[in-house]
Amino acid sequence: MANKALMANAIRALAMDAVQQANSGHPGAPMGMADMAVALWSEHLRYNPANPHWFDRDRFVLSNGHASMMLYSVLHLTGYDLPMSEIKNFRQLHSKTPGHPEIDVTPGVETTTGPLGQGITNAVGMALAEKLLATEFNRKGHTIVDHHTYAFLGDGCMMEGISHEAAGLAGAWRLGKLIALYDDNGISIDGQVKPWFIDNTRERFEAHGWNVIGPLDGNDEKDVSKAIAKAKKSGADDNKPTLIICKTIIGKGSPHRQGTAKAHGEALGAEEIKLTREALHWPYPAFEIPKEVYDDWNHKAAGAEVEADWNSRFAAYAAAFPALASEFTRRMRGELPKDFNQTAFDTVVAAHTKAETVASRKASQLALESFTAALPEMLGGSADLTGSNLTNTKSTPPLRFDPKTGAVVLGAIAQPAKQGAEDEAKPASAADSVVTVASAEPLNIIGRHINYGVREFGMAAVMNGVTAHGGYIPYGGTFLTFSDYSRNAIRMAALMKRRVIHVFTHDSIGLGEDGPTHQSIEHAWSLRLIPNLDVWRPGDTAETAVAWAVALQNATRPTALLLSRQNIAYAPKTDLGDISRGAYVVSEPEAVGMKNKKTAAVIIATGSEVQLALAAQKLLAAKKIAVRVVSMPSTTTFDRQDVAYKKDVLPKKLPRIAVEMGVTAGWWKYGCAAVVGIDTFGESAPAPELFKYFGFTAENVAATVEAVLKR
């Protein structure tokens, strides 16, 4: 029988040794949560260290990511590809053990956590993805999606406001397979949290619709294990998520540091580590784990067995439903259908052919009608602004849950062709349309548009969890000015290199009367500063369709689409292919009758301001001044192009004038001689008055070009 006390002490020893060697880190939480980890990993979690990515594994999220050495210790001990050399290399350059867990860096890490509260919100997204995939793909007698999502979180996560957003959504969605274990040690960096954290956590989560177990002794492995078992049963019975409140002692085992703030974020020190080894009856030197402890932790054989069982069940499923199995595999791999490029091409060409004058938010919805019909994995939503963001389509009815059972409400389910009687057709309810894979085995149709409520940050972090889980491409909408609320989750998606699409409408002073509190000024460039985030501000329907196509094709980069409230006329163009390069010549002087006149300048514009640039081009032509107009819907994409293309679009010898209804700072990197922008906050007035007041007129753009040419 495994010695659970020694298993927990192995975590404590590795945590204090690694932090001491790095002279950086947080030993207290790993030492306090060691018994919780033993209970979960040795008795409940379904995983295979040899294959961290098999589809139906349980997911684990360490929301209090500063406790990373707990997770790294467990991954090492159970048999993941994380050797002792990496434990010794904790927090060092290019190690697999960074300060906070990072996906795709450490085998077994499911998401990148860092800022507190986002991890538990990611876990909500993962649990949602599991529930929706199970509804779509499972069939009677063939269950291929059936796993739990577990999260550890601490006092800091509880204090962050996003945890309220996450808990409310999890309760509303009845995520019965979500189990969170709260490390209630009562200590943060500033000391005991009692003076500033007086929440009744039990009542709070019960009010959010959760089952709550505890408080219990989180340093009693048996009690924790029993609580997890109870949580799994209750979640299955009533489809409610469960919070287990575990009272622990931070830095447990350290004679002088346990229970104190000093255990939180400081190395224990050589003398205290010596005393802790004695107190724990752990006679082994630093980074040495006895064979019997390794044997107790080793999960390779058990992991291989549980995966083999699932592989066998999936093989039976694939034999009964080959097309569904193929579709499931495609989606979990994050691959687009083979015909997607044709779908994208047709969508862009249709937008170009119709040449409609609409707001780019409407152009986005028009593109979405095509893409959501073609991609059943697209999972949309809005933070209480659906009618403004226009993120809903005919193929994405609202996601709803049965108030009694918590089950996902089915829109429709078609009778499988020539399948056995084990697949009973269910009656269809009202759904706007039915999206199916190209086969005789349709998906169960679920709602695919999420009403997140007024929870911008929560929406963004939930989407990160959905995409980290796999099976869906999430997108969500709000106003661009509210991207400030979402920003850190957007940054985490960029850091994780995950395909999440943010739809930000009302992108400028063009929203008018709502005033400066809602008018985006600095937000476009603020988002463009985030590494690995693509930002698109399209200027018409074709550019918007291209932006969506590129965002969907880019599996390693999130995207922000900045869209207008006001209508934008279509900009005539012939070469649609160059749009995807982020910037292109939309109009040469010849287009306004300047065929034999030497080009004098280049006007660069984005979004609705492309029309201003084109109008200014005509005014300048009347004065015998020839200018080129460049539309730059995505500066981030253009910046990645080769030097030759950049020089072709923006010739070095020509002065450049940028036009965008936002701060001017970012445009100077393109060698602009002038920028027509706005470096103050907006005003409350009808949009046409604001455009005139702030100088966003064709006349002012033309005058700016003339002034540059006279220098």
Side-chain angles (χ1 to χ4, degrees), residues 32-94:
M33 293 193 295
D35 302 291
M36 296 162 56
V38 172
L40 178 60
W41 263 271
S42 69
E43 299 183 37
H44 297 282
L45 200 71
R46 295 169 64 249
Y47 63 102
N48 182 7
N51 183 8
H53 303 294
W54 70 282
F55 292 146
D56 203 37
R57 67 192 181 278
D58 287 339
R59 269 53 168 188
F60 173 79
V61 176
L62 183 64
S63 189
N64 45 344
H66 56 270
S68 57
M69 266 312 304
M70 181 218 73
L71 181 55
Y72 298 151
S73 298
V74 171
L75 294 174
H76 166 74
L77 292 165
T78 53
Y80 284 84
D81 183 18
L82 195 68
M84 185 64 81
S85 58
E86 293 292 347
I87 301 297
K88 293 179 179 179
N89 210 24
F90 178 55
R91 289 191 165 215
Q92 304 308 301
L93 185 64
H94 303 316

Coordinates of all heavy atoms in Angstrom, one line a residue, residues 32-94:
G32 N 1.8 23.3 1.4 CA 0.5 23.2 2.1 C -0.5 22.4 1.3 O -1.4 21.7 1.9
M33 N -0.4 22.4 0.0 CA -1.3 21.7 -0.9 C -0.9 20.2 -1.2 O -1.5 19.5 -2.0 CB -1.6 22.4 -2.2 CG -2.3 23.7 -2.0 SD -2.9 24.4 -3.6 CE -1.4 24.8 -4.4
A34 N 0.3 19.8 -0.7 CA 0.8 18.5 -1.0 C -0.2 17.4 -0.8 O -0.3 16.5 -1.7 CB 2.1 18.3 -0.3
D35 N -0.9 17.4 0.3 CA -1.8 16.3 0.6 C -3.0 16.3 -0.4 O -3.5 15.3 -0.8 CB -2.3 16.4 2.0 CG -1.2 16.3 3.0 OD1 -0.5 15.3 3.1 OD2 -0.9 17.4 3.6
M36 N -3.4 17.5 -0.8 CA -4.5 17.7 -1.8 C -4.1 17.0 -3.1 O -4.8 16.4 -3.8 CB -4.9 19.1 -2.0 CG -5.4 19.8 -0.7 SD -5.4 21.7 -0.8 CE -6.3 22.0 -2.4
A37 N -2.8 17.3 -3.4 CA -2.3 16.8 -4.7 C -2.2 15.2 -4.7 O -2.6 14.6 -5.6 CB -0.9 17.3 -5.0
V38 N -1.8 14.7 -3.5 CA -1.7 13.2 -3.4 C -3.1 12.6 -3.6 O -3.3 11.6 -4.3 CB -1.2 12.8 -2.0 CG1 -1.3 11.3 -1.8 CG2 0.3 13.2 -2.0
A39 N -4.1 13.2 -3.0 CA -5.5 12.7 -3.0 C -6.0 12.7 -4.5 O -6.6 11.7 -5.0 CB -6.4 13.5 -2.2
L40 N -5.7 13.8 -5.2 CA -6.3 13.9 -6.6 C -5.5 13.0 -7.5 O -6.1 12.2 -8.3 CB -6.2 15.4 -7.0 CG -6.7 15.7 -8.5 CD1 -8.2 15.2 -8.6 CD2 -6.5 17.1 -8.8
W41 N -4.2 13.1 -7.6 CA -3.4 12.4 -8.6 C -3.3 10.9 -8.4 O -3.3 10.2 -9.3 CB -2.0 13.0 -8.7 CG -1.8 14.0 -9.8 CD1 -1.5 13.8 -11.1 CD2 -2.1 15.4 -9.6 NE1 -1.5 15.0 -11.8 CE2 -1.8 16.0 -10.9 CE3 -2.4 16.3 -8.6 CZ2 -1.9 17.4 -11.2 CZ3 -2.5 17.6 -8.8 CH2 -2.3 18.1 -10.1
S42 N -3.4 10.5 -7.1 CA -3.2 9.1 -6.9 C -4.5 8.3 -6.9 O -4.5 7.1 -7.0 CB -2.4 8.8 -5.6 OG -3.2 9.2 -4.4
E43 N -5.6 9.0 -6.7 CA -6.9 8.3 -6.6 C -8.0 8.7 -7.5 O -9.0 7.9 -7.6 CB -7.4 8.4 -5.1 CG -6.4 7.9 -4.1 CD -6.9 8.0 -2.7 OE1 -8.1 7.8 -2.5 OE2 -6.1 8.3 -1.7
H44 N -7.9 9.8 -8.1 CA -9.0 10.3 -8.9 C -8.7 10.7 -10.4 O -9.5 10.4 -11.3 CB -9.8 11.4 -8.2 CG -10.3 11.0 -6.9 ND1 -11.5 10.3 -6.7 CD2 -9.8 11.2 -5.6 CE1 -11.7 10.1 -5.5 NE2 -10.8 10.6 -4.8
L45 N -7.6 11.4 -10.6 CA -7.3 12.0 -11.9 C -7.1 10.9 -12.9 O -6.3 10.0 -12.6 CB -6.1 12.9 -11.7 CG -6.0 14.0 -12.9 CD1 -7.1 15.0 -12.8 CD2 -4.6 14.6 -12.8
R46 N -7.7 11.0 -14.1 CA -7.5 10.1 -15.2 C -6.5 10.7 -16.1 O -6.8 11.7 -16.8 CB -8.8 9.8 -15.9 CG -9.8 9.0 -15.0 CD -11.2 8.9 -15.6 NE -11.2 8.2 -16.9 CZ -11.4 8.7 -18.1 NH1 -11.6 10.0 -18.2 NH2 -11.4 7.9 -19.1
Y47 N -5.3 10.2 -16.2 CA -4.2 10.8 -17.1 C -3.2 9.7 -17.4 O -3.2 8.6 -16.8 CB -3.6 11.9 -16.3 CG -2.8 11.5 -15.0 CD1 -1.4 11.3 -15.0 CD2 -3.5 11.2 -13.9 CE1 -0.8 10.9 -13.9 CE2 -2.9 10.9 -12.7 CZ -1.5 10.7 -12.7 OH -0.9 10.3 -11.5
N48 N -2.4 10.0 -18.4 CA -1.4 9.1 -18.9 C -0.1 9.9 -19.1 O 0.0 10.7 -20.1 CB -1.8 8.4 -20.2 CG -0.7 7.4 -20.6 OD1 0.3 7.1 -19.9 ND2 -0.9 6.8 -21.8
P49 N 0.9 9.8 -18.2 CA 2.1 10.5 -18.3 C 2.8 10.4 -19.7 O 3.5 11.3 -20.2 CB 3.0 10.0 -17.2 CG 2.0 9.4 -16.2 CD 0.9 8.9 -17.0
A50 N 2.6 9.2 -20.3 CA 3.3 8.9 -21.6 C 2.6 9.7 -22.8 O 3.2 9.8 -23.8 CB 3.3 7.4 -21.9
N51 N 1.4 10.1 -22.6 CA 0.7 10.8 -23.6 C -0.2 11.9 -23.0 O -1.4 11.7 -22.7 CB -0.2 9.8 -24.4 CG -0.9 10.5 -25.6 OD1 -0.6 11.7 -25.9 ND2 -1.8 9.8 -26.2
P52 N 0.4 13.1 -22.8 CA -0.3 14.1 -22.1 C -1.5 14.7 -22.8 O -2.3 15.4 -22.3 CB 0.8 15.2 -21.9 CG 2.1 14.5 -22.1 CD 1.8 13.4 -23.0
H53 N -1.6 14.3 -24.1 CA -2.7 14.9 -25.0 C -3.8 14.0 -25.4 O -4.6 14.3 -26.2 CB -2.0 15.5 -26.2 CG -0.9 16.5 -25.9 ND1 -1.2 17.7 -25.4 CD2 0.4 16.5 -26.1 CE1 -0.1 18.4 -25.2 NE2 0.9 17.6 -25.7
W54 N -3.9 12.8 -24.8 CA -5.0 11.9 -25.2 C -6.3 12.6 -24.9 O -6.5 13.2 -23.9 CB -4.9 10.5 -24.7 CG -5.1 10.3 -23.2 CD1 -4.3 10.6 -22.2 CD2 -6.3 9.7 -22.6 NE1 -4.8 10.3 -21.0 CE2 -6.1 9.7 -21.2 CE3 -7.5 9.2 -23.1 CZ2 -7.0 9.2 -20.3 CZ3 -8.4 8.8 -22.2 CH2 -8.2 8.8 -20.8
F55 N -7.3 12.3 -25.8 CA -8.5 13.2 -25.9 C -9.3 13.2 -24.6 O -9.8 14.3 -24.2 CB -9.4 12.8 -27.0 CG -8.8 13.0 -28.4 CD1 -9.0 12.2 -29.4 CD2 -8.0 14.1 -28.6 CE1 -8.5 12.4 -30.7 CE2 -7.4 14.4 -29.8 CZ -7.7 13.5 -30.9
D56 N -9.5 12.1 -24.0 CA -10.5 12.0 -22.9 C -9.9 12.0 -21.5 O -10.4 11.6 -20.5 CB -11.4 10.8 -23.0 CG -12.8 11.0 -22.3 OD1 -13.3 12.1 -22.3 OD2 -13.3 10.0 -21.7
R57 N -8.7 12.6 -21.4 CA -8.0 12.7 -20.1 C -8.8 13.8 -19.2 O -9.5 14.7 -19.8 CB -6.6 13.2 -20.3 CG -6.5 14.7 -20.8 CD -5.1 15.0 -21.2 NE -5.0 16.4 -21.7 CZ -5.4 16.8 -23.0 NH1 -5.8 15.9 -23.8 NH2 -5.3 18.1 -23.3
D58 N -8.7 13.6 -17.9 CA -9.2 14.7 -17.1 C -8.3 15.9 -17.2 O -7.1 15.8 -17.5 CB -9.1 14.3 -15.6 CG -10.3 13.3 -15.3 OD1 -11.3 13.2 -16.0 OD2 -10.1 12.6 -14.2
R59 N -8.8 17.1 -17.1 CA -8.0 18.3 -17.1 C -7.8 18.8 -15.7 O -8.6 18.8 -14.9 CB -8.8 19.4 -17.9 CG -8.5 19.5 -19.4 CD -8.7 18.2 -20.1 NE -8.7 18.4 -21.6 CZ -9.0 17.5 -22.5 NH1 -9.3 16.3 -22.1 NH2 -8.9 17.8 -23.8
F60 N -6.5 19.3 -15.5 CA -6.2 20.0 -14.2 C -5.6 21.3 -14.5 O -4.8 21.5 -15.4 CB -5.2 19.1 -13.4 CG -4.7 19.9 -12.2 CD1 -5.5 19.9 -11.1 CD2 -3.5 20.6 -12.2 CE1 -5.1 20.6 -9.9 CE2 -3.1 21.3 -11.1 CZ -3.9 21.3 -9.9
V61 N -6.1 22.3 -13.7 CA -5.6 23.7 -13.8 C -5.2 24.2 -12.4 O -5.9 24.0 -11.4 CB -6.8 24.6 -14.3 CG1 -6.3 26.1 -14.3 CG2 -7.2 24.2 -15.7
L62 N -4.0 24.7 -12.4 CA -3.4 25.3 -11.2 C -3.7 26.8 -11.2 O -2.9 27.5 -11.8 CB -2.0 25.0 -11.0 CG -1.3 25.5 -9.7 CD1 -1.9 24.8 -8.5 CD2 0.2 25.3 -9.8
S63 N -4.8 27.2 -10.7 CA -5.2 28.6 -10.8 C -4.2 29.5 -10.0 O -3.9 30.6 -10.4 CB -6.6 28.9 -10.4 OG -7.0 30.2 -10.7
N64 N -3.8 29.0 -8.8 CA -2.8 29.8 -8.0 C -1.5 29.4 -8.5 O -0.7 28.6 -7.9 CB -3.0 29.5 -6.5 CG -3.2 28.1 -6.1 OD1 -3.5 27.3 -7.0 ND2 -3.0 27.8 -4.9
G65 N -1.1 29.9 -9.7 CA 0.0 29.4 -10.5 C 1.4 29.6 -9.8 O 2.4 29.0 -10.2
H66 N 1.4 30.5 -8.8 CA 2.7 30.6 -8.1 C 3.1 29.4 -7.4 O 4.3 29.2 -7.0 CB 2.6 31.8 -7.1 CG 1.5 31.7 -6.1 ND1 0.2 32.2 -6.3 CD2 1.4 31.1 -4.9 CE1 -0.5 31.9 -5.3 NE2 0.2 31.3 -4.4
A67 N 2.1 28.5 -7.2 CA 2.4 27.2 -6.6 C 2.9 26.2 -7.6 O 2.7 24.9 -7.4 CB 1.2 26.6 -5.8
S68 N 3.6 26.6 -8.6 CA 4.0 25.8 -9.7 C 4.8 24.6 -9.3 O 4.7 23.5 -9.9 CB 4.7 26.6 -10.8 OG 5.8 27.3 -10.2
M69 N 5.6 24.7 -8.3 CA 6.5 23.6 -7.9 C 5.7 22.4 -7.4 O 6.2 21.3 -7.4 CB 7.5 24.0 -6.9 CG 8.9 24.5 -7.5 SD 9.6 23.3 -8.7 CE 9.6 21.8 -7.8
M70 N 4.5 22.6 -6.9 CA 3.6 21.5 -6.6 C 3.3 20.7 -7.9 O 3.4 19.5 -7.9 CB 2.3 22.0 -6.0 CG 1.4 20.8 -5.6 SD -0.4 21.2 -5.8 CE -0.5 21.1 -7.6
L71 N 2.9 21.4 -8.9 CA 2.5 20.8 -10.1 C 3.8 20.1 -10.8 O 3.7 19.0 -11.2 CB 1.9 21.8 -11.1 CG 1.4 21.2 -12.4 CD1 0.5 20.1 -12.3 CD2 0.8 22.3 -13.3
Y72 N 4.9 20.8 -10.8 CA 6.1 20.3 -11.5 C 6.5 19.0 -10.7 O 7.0 18.0 -11.3 CB 7.2 21.3 -11.5 CG 6.9 22.5 -12.3 CD1 7.5 23.8 -12.0 CD2 6.0 22.5 -13.4 CE1 7.2 24.9 -12.7 CE2 5.8 23.6 -14.1 CZ 6.4 24.8 -13.8 OH 6.1 26.0 -14.5
S73 N 6.4 19.1 -9.4 CA 6.8 17.9 -8.6 C 6.0 16.7 -8.9 O 6.5 15.6 -9.1 CB 6.7 18.2 -7.1 OG 7.6 19.3 -6.7
V74 N 4.7 16.9 -9.0 CA 3.8 15.8 -9.3 C 4.0 15.3 -10.7 O 4.0 14.0 -10.9 CB 2.3 16.2 -9.1 CG1 1.3 15.2 -9.7 CG2 2.0 16.5 -7.7
L75 N 4.2 16.2 -11.7 CA 4.4 15.7 -13.0 C 5.7 14.9 -13.1 O 5.8 13.9 -13.8 CB 4.5 16.9 -14.0 CG 3.2 17.7 -14.1 CD1 3.4 19.0 -15.0 CD2 2.1 16.9 -14.8
H76 N 6.7 15.3 -12.4 CA 8.0 14.6 -12.4 C 7.8 13.2 -11.7 O 8.2 12.2 -12.3 CB 9.0 15.4 -11.6 CG 10.2 14.6 -11.3 ND1 11.2 14.2 -12.2 CD2 10.6 14.0 -10.0 CE1 12.1 13.4 -11.6 NE2 11.8 13.4 -10.3
L77 N 7.1 13.2 -10.6 CA 7.0 12.0 -9.8 C 6.1 10.9 -10.5 O 6.4 9.7 -10.4 CB 6.4 12.3 -8.4 CG 7.4 13.1 -7.5 CD1 6.6 13.7 -6.3 CD2 8.5 12.2 -7.0
T78 N 5.1 11.4 -11.2 CA 4.1 10.4 -11.8 C 4.7 9.9 -13.1 O 4.1 8.9 -13.6 CB 2.8 11.1 -12.0 OG1 3.0 12.3 -12.8 CG2 2.1 11.4 -10.7
G79 N 5.7 10.5 -13.7 CA 6.3 9.9 -14.9 C 6.2 10.7 -16.1 O 6.5 10.1 -17.2
Y80 N 5.8 11.9 -16.1 CA 5.8 12.8 -17.3 C 7.3 13.0 -17.7 O 8.2 12.8 -16.9 CB 5.1 14.1 -17.0 CG 3.6 14.0 -17.0 CD1 2.9 13.6 -15.8 CD2 2.9 14.3 -18.1 CE1 1.6 13.6 -15.8 CE2 1.5 14.2 -18.1 CZ 0.8 13.9 -16.9 OH -0.5 13.8 -16.9
D81 N 7.4 13.5 -18.9 CA 8.8 13.8 -19.4 C 9.3 15.1 -18.8 O 9.4 16.1 -19.5 CB 8.7 13.9 -21.0 CG 10.1 14.1 -21.6 OD1 11.1 13.8 -20.9 OD2 10.2 14.6 -22.7
L82 N 9.5 15.0 -17.6 CA 10.0 16.2 -16.8 C 11.1 15.7 -15.8 O 10.8 15.4 -14.6 CB 8.9 16.9 -16.1 CG 9.2 18.3 -15.5 CD1 9.4 19.2 -16.7 CD2 8.1 18.7 -14.6
P83 N 12.3 15.5 -16.3 CA 13.3 14.8 -15.5 C 13.8 15.7 -14.3 O 13.5 16.9 -14.3 CB 14.5 14.6 -16.5 CG 14.3 15.7 -17.5 CD 12.8 15.8 -17.6
M84 N 14.5 15.2 -13.4 CA 15.0 15.9 -12.2 C 15.8 17.1 -12.6 O 15.9 18.1 -11.9 CB 15.8 15.0 -11.3 CG 16.2 15.6 -10.0 SD 14.8 16.1 -8.9 CE 14.4 14.5 -8.2
S85 N 16.5 17.0 -13.7 CA 17.3 18.1 -14.2 C 16.5 19.4 -14.4 O 17.0 20.5 -14.2 CB 18.1 17.8 -15.5 OG 17.2 17.4 -16.5
E86 N 15.2 19.2 -14.8 CA 14.3 20.3 -15.0 C 13.8 20.8 -13.7 O 13.6 22.0 -13.6 CB 13.2 19.9 -15.9 CG 13.6 19.6 -17.4 CD 14.1 20.8 -18.1 OE1 13.9 22.0 -17.6 OE2 14.6 20.7 -19.2
I87 N 13.6 20.0 -12.7 CA 13.2 20.4 -11.4 C 14.4 21.3 -10.8 O 14.1 22.3 -10.2 CB 12.9 19.2 -10.5 CG1 11.8 18.4 -11.1 CG2 12.6 19.7 -9.1 CD1 10.5 19.0 -11.2
K88 N 15.6 20.8 -11.0 CA 16.7 21.6 -10.5 C 16.9 22.9 -11.3 O 17.5 23.9 -10.8 CB 18.0 20.8 -10.7 CG 18.1 19.5 -9.8 CD 19.4 18.8 -10.0 CE 19.5 17.5 -9.1 NZ 20.7 16.8 -9.4
N89 N 16.3 23.0 -12.5 CA 16.5 24.2 -13.3 C 15.3 25.1 -13.2 O 15.1 25.9 -14.1 CB 16.6 23.7 -14.8 CG 17.5 24.7 -15.6 OD1 18.3 25.4 -15.1 ND2 17.2 24.7 -16.9
F90 N 14.6 25.0 -12.1 CA 13.4 25.8 -11.8 C 13.6 27.3 -12.0 O 14.6 27.8 -11.5 CB 12.9 25.5 -10.4 CG 11.7 26.3 -10.0 CD1 10.5 26.2 -10.7 CD2 11.7 27.0 -8.8 CE1 9.4 26.9 -10.3 CE2 10.6 27.7 -8.3 CZ 9.4 27.7 -9.1
R91 N 12.8 27.9 -12.8 CA 12.8 29.4 -13.0 C 14.1 29.8 -13.8 O 14.4 31.0 -13.7 CB 12.7 30.1 -11.7 CG 11.2 30.1 -11.1 CD 11.0 31.0 -10.0 NE 9.6 31.1 -9.7 CZ 9.0 32.3 -9.3 NH1 9.7 33.4 -9.2 NH2 7.7 32.3 -9.1
Q92 N 14.7 29.0 -14.5 CA 15.9 29.4 -15.2 C 15.6 29.5 -16.7 O 14.6 28.9 -17.2 CB 17.1 28.4 -15.0 CG 17.4 28.2 -13.5 CD 17.7 29.5 -12.8 OE1 18.5 30.2 -13.1 NE2 16.9 29.8 -11.7
L93 N 16.5 30.1 -17.4 CA 16.3 30.4 -18.8 C 16.1 29.1 -19.6 O 16.9 28.2 -19.6 CB 17.5 31.2 -19.4 CG 17.3 31.7 -20.9 CD1 16.2 32.7 -21.0 CD2 18.7 32.3 -21.3
H94 N 15.0 29.1 -20.4 CA 14.6 28.0 -21.3 C 14.3 26.7 -20.6 O 14.4 25.6 -21.3 CB 15.7 27.8 -22.4 CG 16.0 29.0 -23.2 ND1 15.0 29.8 -23.7 CD2 17.2 29.6 -23.6 CE1 15.5 30.8 -24.4 NE2 16.8 30.7 -24.3

